[in-house]
Structure formats: structure tokens, C-alpha cells
Amino acid sequence: MNKQNELQKQYQIDILADKAGGYVAPPTEEGLAYTDLFFSVCRQFGIRYNRATPKEKYFVEEVTRVTWAIQRGENVGDSFRPSFSA
């Protein structure tokens, strides 16, 4: 394929991306791991997120956030806002 055809194809992709609001990047490994953790927390507590009440959603989001931080070795002390605290 010659250089002109390659540029033309790239231009067409740019037009489609602009119509869609920009390019979409594939998920990162870290993002996929967080999503897996989130859905495992949902399963653990029997919560279907799409049908959950606002209170249930907050619960699984907070459990996921704190669990993620602990798994990553973050300090869950003074500088870390613990879940469900006043």
C-alpha cells in the first residue's frame, strides 16, 4: 500500500473518531483488575449494581475502593479516608 492510501485511511479514521467524540483507548490492566474486583464485591454481597439502591451502590463502591487500596499496599491510616467513617 502506498503512502497516499495510508494517509487517506488514517484521515477516514480521524473523521469517524471526531464524529464519535474522540478516540477510545483500550482499558489498562489496572483498570481491568479494578473492574474485576468491583464485580467480585458485588457478587460477594449479592448486589446487582444495575438494580441496586443508592445505598447499595455506595456500599459496593466503598468496599471496592478500600479493598483496592489495601491490596495495593496503600496506607489506610490518617491520610486515607476509611470507608463508612463519620
Side-chain angles (χ1 to χ4, degrees), residues 55-74:
K55 193 178 222 180
E56 291 170 327
K57 287 181 179 183
Y58 180 75
F59 174 78
V60 295
E61 289 165 2
E62 283 295 287
V63 170
T64 303
R65 181 183 65 82
V66 172
T67 304
W68 180 256
I70 291 169
Q71 286 179 353
R72 294 178 51 90
E74 294 177 13

